[in-house]
């Protein structure tokens, strides 16, 4: 009987977990049972609880920089996670173990290799993380989202697959979604979000910039603040009818469909979603991202001519207002209208998760 069990290890918050979920759905649609190994942080657990997939938590997070007590603690947690992975993988006996980034991927991929189980990793960003650079040396296949990522891996068993954007991201009309938010269909609409945990500076400056814009013309705004900054931004808002504030949104596709311009970070998932939807956006790369990878993610879609990039250190109300107005004035020339885009057939023959699934299936059956 064919082995239909798969383990996906995903660290951190949404950046590594969401591509794992897209891939997991592809396996599930093809009759496989998927178990996730994740970090034991609240954001990861909330995402997984909403996904419908089974998961196991590990007390392991990012590696501290430099030698310290925290590094010693990390090392022992890594060892403990390896033996926990070895025990669980021996019990589950999966056909494959897949890592989608972060240090939580390291113990199960090494354990699977020892148990002679096929191993795979997926790198979302242009610059690979340290964990994936290490795992590339033992993985059967390394999948990458960006073609330029290939040169950063020493072992050249690389497959350029693209980023597994979820299949339901498109196909919704602005008209239907605006009714859901009690918005008007023909009003300029802005979406603001700073990533899974939010971003205080983006929240405050974007709020003030939209307020300034609204003095010139009528606007509607969807603002996803993250939990930490939610109460503060809500306390500043005096126009709840046209400015909707959320601490988190599990299904952001409705917000994308409603929006004309997006103000956000430049995580790989966001970049590929914007590119697929042909969305106009102001991208503010996370300044503390390793190797400044969000900036290079953003540069990949800057080539398409529908985004503007600004460093967080240069972010101000006037600068943001100027960029929004620039994108708005160029929008009709540069991109398909929002209503056409949201209903259009996605401009790809196969989704990356279909390609990844096919290659993994071929590998485990060989």
């Amino acid at each position: 009987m064919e082995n239909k069990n798969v383990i996906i290890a995903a660290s951190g918050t949404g950046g590594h977990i969401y591509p794992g979920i897209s891939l997991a759905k592809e396996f599930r649609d093809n009759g496989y049972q998927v178990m996730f190994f994740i970090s034991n942080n609240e954001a990861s657990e909330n995402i997984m609880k909403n996904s419908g997939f089974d998961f196991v938590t590990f007390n392991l997070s990012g590696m501290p920089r430099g030698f310290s007590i925290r590094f010693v603690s990390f090392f022992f947690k890594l060892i403990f996670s390896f033996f926990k992975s070895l025990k669980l993988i021996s019990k589950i006996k999966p056909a494959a173990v897949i890592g989608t980034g972060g240090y939580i991927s390291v113990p199960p991929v090494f354990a699977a290799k020892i148990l002679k189980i096929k191993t795979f990793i997926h790198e979302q960003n242009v610059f690979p993380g340290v964990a994936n650079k290490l795992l590339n040396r033992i993985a059967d296949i390394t999948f990458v989202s960006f073609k330029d990522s290939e040169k950063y891996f020493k072992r050249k068993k690389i497959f350029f697959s693209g980023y597994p954007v979820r299949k339901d991201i498109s196909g919704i009309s602005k008209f239907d979604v605006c009714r859901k938010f009690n918005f008007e269909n023909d009003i300029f609409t802005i979406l603001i979000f700073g990533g899974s945990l939010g971003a205080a500076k983006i929240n405050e400056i974007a709020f003030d910039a939209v307020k300034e814009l609204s003095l010139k013309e009528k606007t509607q705004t969807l603002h996803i603040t993250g939990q930490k900054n939610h109460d503060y931004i809500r306390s500043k808002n005096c126009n709840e009818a046209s400015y909707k504030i959320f601490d988190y949104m599990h299904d952001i596709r409705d917000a994308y469909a409603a929006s004309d311009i997006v103000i956000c970070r430049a995580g790989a998932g966001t970049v590929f979603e914007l590119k697929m939807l042909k969305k106009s956006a102001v991208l503010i790369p996370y300044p503390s991202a390793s190797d400044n990878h969000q900036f290079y993610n953003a540069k990949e879609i800057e080539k398409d001519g529908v985004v503007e990039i600004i460093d967080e250190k240069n972010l101000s109300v006037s600068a943001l207002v100027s960029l929004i107005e620039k994108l708005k004035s160029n929008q009709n020339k540069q991109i398909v209208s929002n209503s056409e885009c949201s209903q259009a057939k996605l401009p790809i023959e196969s989704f990356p998760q279909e390609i990844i699934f096919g290659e993994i299936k071929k590998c485990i059956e060989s």
Side-chain angles (χ1 to χ4, degrees), residues 326-351:
K326 179 181 177 181
L327 286 171
K328 187 173 185 294
S329 67
N330 292 334
Q331 204 169 43
N332 290 336
K333 301 174 186 177
Q334 293 178 318
I335 64 173
V336 184
S337 70
N338 194 290
S339 59
E340 289 174 347
C341 178
S342 62
Q343 294 177 337
K345 184 178 184 293
L346 291 176
I348 53 177
E349 294 180 4
S350 298
F351 283 87

Side-chain angles (χ1 to χ4, degrees), residues 208-236:
D208 291 339
V210 171
K211 184 178 179 180
E212 184 172 315
L213 278 170
S214 67
L215 299 176
K216 303 177 184 179
E217 62 174 314
K218 192 172 183 181
T219 61
Q220 300 171 146
T221 305
L222 297 168
H223 192 159
I224 306 169
T225 63
Q227 290 184 350
K228 292 181 180 179
N229 218 209
H230 177 256
D231 291 342
Y232 173 69
I233 296 297
R234 181 171 288 283
S235 71
K236 294 180 67 175

Side-chain angles (χ1 to χ4, degrees), residues 165-166 168-170 172-174 177 181 189-193 222 224 249 251-265 267-281 283 338-339 341-342:
V165 175
R166 53 191 176 155
D168 64 354
I169 197 69
S170 187
I172 317 166
S173 72
K174 181 176 181 180
V177 172
F181 291 118
T189 306
I190 300 168
L191 168 62
I192 304 163
F193 65 95
L222 297 168
I224 306 169
M249 191 178 290
D251 192 354
I252 202 172
R253 66 173 188 158
D254 289 346
Y256 276 138
S259 66
D260 296 294
I261 282 180
V262 183
I263 301 167
C264 59
R265 290 295 194 198
T270 300
V271 162
F272 278 94
E273 287 168 349
L274 293 171
K275 182 173 184 176
M276 185 169 283
L277 295 171
K278 295 185 172 66
K279 283 287 175 184
S280 236
L283 297 179
N338 194 290
S339 59
C341 178
S342 62

Side-chain angles (χ1 to χ4, degrees), residues 24-298:
K25 288 179 178 178
E26 189 65 30
F27 275 91
R28 185 176 62 189
D29 290 346
N30 284 275
Y32 285 77
Q33 297 290 323
V34 182
M35 168 73 75
F36 274 82
F37 288 5
I38 65 167
S39 304
N40 64 341
N41 61 68
E42 184 179 0
S44 296
E45 291 185 40
N46 286 339
I47 293 169
M48 288 311 307
K49 286 173 184 176
N50 193 64
S51 74
F53 288 100
D54 293 331
F55 63 94
V56 176
T57 61
F58 287 74
N59 184 20
L60 185 64
S61 55
M63 182 176 69
R65 295 182 180 180
F67 187 80
S68 64
I69 295 296
R70 288 182 61 227
F71 180 86
V72 174
S73 174
F74 167 81
F75 178 77
F76 280 106
K77 288 177 180 178
L78 190 70
I79 298 298
F80 180 82
S81 296
F82 168 76
F83 285 107
K84 182 176 178 178
S85 296
L86 198 64
K87 181 179 178 180
L88 287 169
I89 293 170
S90 297
K91 181 180 178 181
I92 297 169
K93 296 182 172 61
V97 172
I98 306 163
T100 59
Y103 279 94
I104 197 63
S105 298
V106 174
V109 171
F110 267 93
K113 199 67 180 178
I114 289 172
L115 295 170
K116 301 189 184 317
I117 293 167
K118 298 288 187 180
T119 58
F120 309 88
I121 58 173
H122 182 273
E123 176 56 54
Q124 293 88 51
N125 297 297
V126 176
F127 286 160
V130 175
N132 272 352
K133 283 182 180 178
L134 173 65
L135 293 177
N136 168 251
R137 298 171 180 269
I138 64 170
D140 289 284
I141 302 175
T142 296
F143 296 98
V144 295
S145 297
F146 295 95
K147 186 73 175 171
D148 284 350
S149 300
E150 295 183 14
K151 62 189 176 188
Y152 300 108
F153 288 106
K154 290 188 176 180
R155 187 168 181 241
K156 298 301 180 182
K157 203 161 187 182
I158 312 296
F159 190 99
F160 172 48
S161 63
Y163 181 99
V165 175
R166 53 191 176 155
K167 293 182 178 180
D168 64 354
I169 197 69
S170 187
I172 317 166
S173 72
K174 181 176 181 180
F175 177 78
D176 290 338
V177 172
C178 280
R179 286 196 302 177
K180 179 177 178 179
F181 291 118
N182 292 319
F183 277 178
E184 297 178 47
N185 187 51
D186 57 349
I187 301 299
F188 183 67
T189 306
I190 300 168
L191 168 62
I192 304 163
F193 65 95
S196 300
L197 301 178
K201 187 172 182 178
I202 292 176
N203 282 333
E204 294 185 38
I205 290 178
F207 180 90
D208 291 339
V210 171
K211 184 178 179 180
E212 184 172 315
L213 278 170
S214 67
L215 299 176
K216 303 177 184 179
E217 62 174 314
K218 192 172 183 181
T219 61
Q220 300 171 146
T221 305
L222 297 168
H223 192 159
I224 306 169
T225 63
Q227 290 184 350
K228 292 181 180 179
N229 218 209
H230 177 256
D231 291 342
Y232 173 69
I233 296 297
R234 181 171 288 283
S235 71
K236 294 180 67 175
N237 186 30
C238 60
N239 192 350
E240 294 185 7
S242 63
Y243 202 109
K244 307 287 186 183
I245 299 174
F246 308 85
D247 61 348
Y248 191 76
M249 191 178 290
H250 282 288
D251 192 354
I252 202 172
R253 66 173 188 158
D254 289 346
Y256 276 138
S259 66
D260 296 294
I261 282 180
V262 183
I263 301 167
C264 59
R265 290 295 194 198
T270 300
V271 162
F272 278 94
E273 287 168 349
L274 293 171
K275 182 173 184 176
M276 185 169 283
L277 295 171
K278 295 185 172 66
K279 283 287 175 184
S280 236
V282 177
L283 297 179
I284 309 158
Y286 180 48
S288 300
S290 59
D291 297 315
N292 200 20
H293 69 252
Q294 286 205 2
F295 172 77
Y296 293 97
N297 290 348

